[in-house]
Amino acid sequence: MKAQRATWWAVASLLVTVAHVDAVEETQVSTADDLCPSWANPCVISIPVTVDSPGDLDFGLRDVMVTQGGRLRAERAAILCGTFWIEGPDARIGIIIPDTDAYASFSITARRGCSLSESTPCLDDAACASSGLGTCSIGDGTISLNAKIDGERNLGPDVELRAAGDIVVGNSITINGTGLEGSAGNLTLHSFTGNVLMAGTIKIKPAPPRGKPQNGGSYVGYAGELTVVAENDVEVSAAVDMSDASCCSAMNFDAGRDLRIRHNLSRNGLSEADEGEGGPAHMYTGRDLIVEPHGPTDDETFITANGGNMLFHSDNYSYWEAGRGGYTKIHTRGAFLVERKAQFHSDSPRDDCADGLPYGGNFYIDADDGFFIDGPITSRATGCGGRGGYVYLDSYGDGTIGPHGVVDVSATRAGRVILDASGNLDVIGTIDTRGDTYTYSYGYGDPSFSGNGGWVRLEGDDLTVSGDVLLGGVEGGSSFAADACRIRATSTARIDNRCPEVYCEEEWGEEVFYAGQSMIAEPGSRIVAEAGSSAKIYYGDPNRPPVLGGTFEPAPALVYKSGLGNKYRCPPCGDGEIAEGETCDDWNVTDGDGCSATCVNEHCIAETPGYPANPLCDDAGDCTNDRCDPLAGVCVHEPACADAFACTEEACVDGACSVTAVDALCDDDDQCTTDLCNTATGCVHSGLVGVACDDNDLCTQTSACEDTAGCVAADPRSALSGRMSITTRATATDDVLVAKLEVPASEVVVPVTESGVGVRLVDGGGRVLIDTYLPGALFSGRPAPQFDYRFD
């Protein structure tokens, strides 16, 4: 925008040539050739000229320059040319529309030529393309005004400036009505392919009132209309004053790209007028609408459409009629930005009662890419019976009421505020829908109070309130609703729906919260209303009930409502938690930051050719389980052939899983079972019957398997014959046991030096005291025939 502005001013600066000339007699003309010969380009006007009405001066595509000493005076005239510019500034240079009672109009149309027919005039490419003449690109086709257009007359004229290129208004344009009931004129600035820079003041005002209206009559003229259209940008750098009409001075702005407002726009209704209503405004932009302070010290910028009020007189009495604030309609395909010290007002001021109720104006604002309000938007109506206006801010992106932002619709009967963001909504500043208390008395008894609170609704994906939402009234409280996926009231938040006076006729209010996923009121937050008010919190996630750490009075009813998250735009993606079906979640739904708009890890997407037609991380093989690791952020291919059975051996053969059973891996060391491996169920163990086995008992001879009992011996071996003696003695360090056993040689099949001896000592209660084995290699003694062995 700054670069473009510099370009405009560069054009304007080349045209500034100030020189004093002596006054000369005006020349009357009817055609372009009366001013300049047909070959002159540019046509330079350096003397005062009067254009006969109706005067159509067609210069073709020649440029027209009004220099020092030049002036155009015309009641009805149309100039057609290439580039048009006026050097100045000087009181004797410019365009004058004379003061008569006849209808007056003046227009300038600056054109270009078609690229395939340079002599064919055009305002845009469509004019050339329709005739097959290429594009509208030959010449500048600009209008630059550095001198005044003075159309102050009985009836304001219609002035129209149309240009293929830029329009630069560097000096004032005045098209006021001055006569009895003289209406204001209409001004149109239309750049078909360029920009409009409004750097000179513009006044479009009707005649002021004459005397005092009687019985509802009015001597105030009708309002005028301003229309500004640009294919690219529109910038307002000087004041536009359309105030003091009885009703409805209209402003219309249509910018293909940005609209930047850097100075005051006023369309206030006139006090002491018949209706005294503020006028409407329509503003449309293809990108952003920016309202910012102006001047070297950042003076405040006001956009006002306030209503006035009128004192009427009749034969018997006088009465006040209250005017209404005008309405404002804004639609941006980009963002709507109101910076600090920038203000919108559509109020209806009146300090006492009026027969006609004062109404604040309405604001309807659609901003596709979000809004940021850091200055006040007010639609108030003071005085008894006043009704606040309606402020509706809607956005497909994020919305913010900044730290200095205020949305105020307070009145005796407060208005409504709806802030609806399809993205996140932050309320840092103030929303005021309080019912202003009005005290009145009929001369006896106690005074009466009136004042009704308004209505607030806040909607967004994530709603954060850290500022003030002020509601409540004497006769009735306000209705407050918050509707979001996640609601958070920070430690500085205040939602106050209490009666503002000690005395309240009705103590009530309503507060409803719809939290699709979660609601948190941090310690220090205050959500308060009168005791008779109702408060409910509906929440859509049973695993995350509201967490209320601040002051909440009265205590709300908590109600779980299934499906609330789906109804109120709460997809899990973007909530910072990895839910089922997600592989990442970075608190947004934006592509290109590593986590896609659908919460899929973009590294895994890059590893998956053909995604999303092919499943994420698919390696086209049947032998792996493919997934995206949410922590590592890479594809993982786990073997798909592995099963839960230790007795199987798996392999991937020709892209398919092959499983082999290995019975040996099922051995349970039980002689009385068969051990088999089943590929479907794992190891299977079946009991054997009648098969010989070893029960590992020296006191038995033969053993066999039984189905449930295991290895069982039916023939206990008899005790050996012979003698055994056992003696014990205690020593200072150990207890010594000496056992002597004499066995006939015929009963010893294997020498003890080979077999060893098992020793088990059991007491009378069956408790095993010693259970050990003495290896044969550790025995000493004499072999046969003595068979005398010793183990020490």
Side-chain angles (χ1 to χ4, degrees):
M1 189 67 188
K2 291 182 179 179
Q4 184 63 61
R5 190 186 311 164
T7 301
W8 294 343
W9 282 112
V11 173
S13 65
L14 292 174
L15 306 178
V16 177
T17 305
V18 181
H20 178 73
V21 296
D22 294 330
V24 296
E25 184 179 353
E26 290 196 1
T27 299
Q28 286 191 283
V29 299
S30 299
T31 66
D33 291 340
D34 294 338
L35 278 169
C36 298
S38 58
W39 49 263
N41 189 16
C43 175
V44 179
I45 302 172
S46 57
I47 60 173
V49 172
T50 297
V51 181
D52 294 334
S53 298
D56 294 331
L57 307 184
D58 190 348
F59 293 88
L61 291 177
R62 289 182 293 158
D63 299 337
V64 176
M65 175 188 293
V66 182
T67 65
Q68 180 66 30
R71 183 178 64 231
L72 287 173
R73 180 190 299 270
E75 182 180 39
R76 281 181 292 163
I79 296 177
L80 304 173
C81 60
T83 295
F84 182 94
W85 71 95
I86 302 179
E87 293 183 356
D90 188 275
R92 290 173 294 175
I93 297 178
I95 297 169
I96 296 176
I97 302 171
D99 189 358
T100 67
D101 291 332
Y103 168 74
S105 65
F106 184 87
S107 68
I108 300 172
T109 304
R111 304 168 296 182
R112 292 173 177 164
C114 295
S115 60
L116 300 182
S117 177
E118 297 185 8
S119 62
T120 300
C122 60
L123 288 170
D124 56 21
D125 289 342
C128 299
S130 62
S131 302
L133 300 179
T135 60
C136 186
S137 56
I138 304 301
D140 291 330
T142 59
I143 296 176
S144 181
L145 304 177
N146 283 299
K148 299 178 180 178
I149 295 180
D150 188 353
E152 191 167 61
R153 58 197 309 278
N154 289 342
L155 297 174
D158 290 338
V159 176
E160 185 173 9
L161 307 179
R162 306 195 310 161
D166 297 337
I167 297 176
V168 179
V169 179
N171 210 317
S172 64
I173 298 177
T174 302
I175 51 176
N176 295 341
T178 60
L180 184 63
E181 298 189 9
S183 63
N186 299 309
L187 173 63
T188 299
L189 308 175
H190 189 171
S191 170
F192 284 77
T193 65
N195 312 283
V196 174
L197 171 62
M198 301 164 61
T201 60
I202 294 175
K203 292 184 179 181
I204 308 174
K205 307 178 70 169
R210 300 289 199 275
K212 295 294 184 180
Q214 301 294 323
N215 298 321
S218 174
Y219 297 132
V220 180
Y222 293 107
E225 184 169 354
L226 169 66
T227 300
V228 182
V229 181
E231 178 69 16
N232 294 329
D233 300 327
V234 174
E235 180 174 325
V236 181
S237 297
V240 177
D241 187 356
M242 300 180 66
S243 296
D244 299 336
S246 61
C247 175
C248 313
S249 296
M251 293 182 183
N252 306 294
F253 291 90
D254 189 341
R257 296 191 309 197
D258 298 332
L259 169 59
R260 186 179 295 271
I261 301 173
R262 304 188 62 253
H263 219 294
N264 302 336
L265 302 180
S266 174
R267 55 189 196 282
N268 298 331
L270 175 67
S271 293
E272 302 183 7
D274 186 4
E275 299 174 70
E277 292 193 17
H282 296 84
M283 302 180 183
Y284 301 94
T285 69
R287 293 194 312 201
D288 299 338
L289 194 161
I290 304 166
V291 187
E292 59 188 5
H294 68 273
T297 58
D298 283 344
D299 296 331
E300 292 178 322
T301 293
F302 293 88
I303 300 176
T304 58
N306 296 329
N309 46 70
M310 175 63 194
L311 177 63
F312 286 91
H313 300 275
S314 69
D315 294 337
N316 299 318
Y317 64 93
S318 301
Y319 62 94
W320 286 100
E321 181 78 22
R324 303 183 181 186
Y327 74 86
T328 301
K329 170 65 177 176
I330 294 175
H331 183 193
T332 72
R333 294 190 178 277
F336 177 53
L337 308 174
V338 179
E339 298 185 9
R340 186 181 179 186
K341 293 189 176 184
Q343 306 186 29
F344 278 81
H345 298 290
S346 184
D347 303 334
S348 181
R350 186 66 203 160
D351 292 333
D352 53 14
C353 288
D355 284 12
L357 298 180
Y359 283 77
N362 295 331
F363 290 88
Y364 303 90
I365 302 172
D366 296 317
D368 289 358
D369 286 347
F371 58 83
F372 183 86
I373 312 298
D374 205 28
I377 295 179
T378 67
S379 182
R380 300 167 296 200
T382 58
C384 67
R387 296 180 183 272
Y390 182 94
V391 177
Y392 177 43
L393 278 162
D394 183 26
S395 173
Y396 291 114
D398 297 336
T400 300
I401 304 298
H404 306 100
V406 176
V407 180
D408 187 350
V409 294
S410 59
T412 307
R413 299 179 183 275
R416 295 188 172 192
V417 175
I418 295 180
L419 307 182
D420 186 354
S422 295
N424 300 327
L425 177 61
D426 291 337
V427 178
I428 306 170
T430 301
I431 298 173
D432 192 346
T433 64
R434 287 175 292 184
D436 289 343
T437 301
Y438 187 82
T439 307
Y440 57 95
S441 176
Y442 295 104
Y444 56 88
D446 295 329
S448 297
F449 299 86
S450 66
N452 289 85
W455 195 75
V456 175
R457 186 175 185 88
L458 307 177
E459 299 186 19
D461 286 347
D462 283 342
L463 168 62
T464 302
V465 178
S466 55
D468 293 336
V469 181
L470 307 178
L471 312 104
V474 171
E475 291 183 298
S478 300
S479 294
F480 174 85
D483 183 351
C485 300
R486 292 163 292 274
I487 300 175
R488 179 180 295 272
T490 71
S491 60
T492 59
R494 180 171 59 136
I495 301 174
D496 193 338
N497 200 359
R498 295 175 297 178
C499 175
E501 297 291 334
V502 175
Y503 170 78
C504 290
E505 294 185 4
E506 299 181 30
E507 298 181 359
W508 67 271
E510 183 181 39
E511 297 170 347
V512 182
F513 297 84
Y514 299 93
Q517 290 182 351
S518 63
M519 176 174 174
I520 298 175
E522 296 180 354
S525 62
R526 292 180 57 81
I527 303 174
V528 294
E530 296 297 332
S533 302
S534 64
K536 286 186 178 180
I537 300 177
Y538 296 93
Y539 61 99
D541 188 340
N543 298 316
R544 288 191 284 182
V547 179
L548 307 180
T551 300
F552 211 126
E553 299 176 353
L558 306 183
V559 182
Y560 166 65
K561 191 171 185 179
S562 177
L564 193 63
N566 295 329
K567 180 179 180 182
Y568 295 104
R569 304 171 307 195
C570 299
C573 183
D575 65 358
E577 299 178 0
I578 300 177
E580 183 178 359
E582 298 178 351
T583 59
C584 59
D585 198 315
D586 58 355
W587 290 99
N588 65 58
V589 287
T590 304
D591 287 323
D593 58 359
C595 185
S596 76
T598 56
C599 285
V600 177
N601 190 287
E602 290 175 330
H603 298 292
C604 292
I605 292 176
E607 295 181 31
T608 311
Y611 179 84
N614 294 332
L616 187 67
C617 291
D618 185 15
D619 63 359
D622 294 331
C623 295
T624 57
N625 292 320
D626 308 316
R627 64 182 180 88
C628 179
D629 188 327
L631 298 179
V634 296
C635 288
V636 176
H637 308 286
E638 298 171 336
C641 299
D643 57 22
F645 310 125
C647 67
T648 59
E649 293 181 348
E650 302 86 10
C652 184
V653 180
D654 297 330
C657 291
S658 175
V659 180
T660 302
V662 181
D663 295 338
L665 297 177
C666 290
D667 187 3
D668 61 357
D669 293 327
D670 188 343
Q671 306 170 71
C672 293
T673 60
T674 59
D675 304 319
L676 300 176
C677 179
N678 187 308
T679 57
T681 61
C683 290
V684 178
H685 306 283
S686 300
L688 299 175
V689 178
V691 177
C693 60
D694 183 359
D695 65 355
N696 198 31
D697 188 346
L698 295 175
C699 296
T700 60
Q701 299 185 54
T702 59
S703 304
C705 292
E706 295 186 6
D707 188 19
T708 58
C711 188
V712 177
D715 56 344
R717 181 177 296 169
S718 59
L720 296 175
S721 59
R723 294 179 302 172
M724 181 175 65
S725 64
I726 298 177
T727 60
T728 62
R729 69 176 184 274
T731 69
T733 58
D734 298 297
D735 293 334
V736 178
L737 182 147
V738 178
K740 292 183 179 180
L741 177 63
E742 293 182 0
V743 181
S746 60
E747 296 184 14
V748 180
V749 181
V750 180
V752 173
T753 53
E754 297 180 15
S755 66
V757 176
V759 177
R760 179 177 296 172
L761 180 63
V762 183
D763 66 8
R767 184 176 58 170
V768 177
L769 302 177
I770 297 175
D771 190 357
T772 187
Y773 171 73
L774 307 178
L778 298 181
F779 279 86
S780 61
R782 293 176 294 176
Q786 287 82 9
F787 298 105
D788 182 8
Y789 301 100
R790 179 184 178 87
F791 181 90
D792 190 356

